[in-house]
Amino acid sequence: MRTEKEILKGNGLTNIDELMDSKFGKPGTPEREKFRKEARTYVYEHTKTAECKNSQKKRK
């Protein structure tokens, strides 16, 4: 039986946890926490934009 890693690789995909660990460090490290804080800020600020608000109206 193939492992998850083999299946992902065979389909040209990457495990998101491994990618995050390699780019931003393991969960709880200062680098990872800095990334999480910046990502939250980005998403929060984006939700305030007219573009985002308009896209929500279109879905309803």
Side-chain angles (χ1 to χ4, degrees), residues 20-46:
M20 293 290 290
D21 291 351
S22 69
K23 288 197 164 271
F24 306 106
K26 298 278 185 186
T29 60
E31 296 86 2
R32 183 74 163 256
E33 292 307 310
K34 179 181 179 219
F35 167 77
R36 290 174 55 85
K37 181 179 178 185
E38 290 173 356
R40 279 190 213 105
T41 300
Y42 174 82
V43 170
Y44 177 71
E45 293 299 320
H46 181 72

Side-chain angles (χ1 to χ4, degrees), residues 5-25:
K5 191 171 187 175
E6 292 169 332
I7 294 168
L8 289 172
K9 187 175 181 181
N11 289 304
L13 303 171
T14 301
N15 179 297
I16 191 65
D17 293 323
E18 290 179 11
L19 178 67
M20 293 290 290
D21 291 351
S22 69
K23 288 197 164 271
F24 306 106

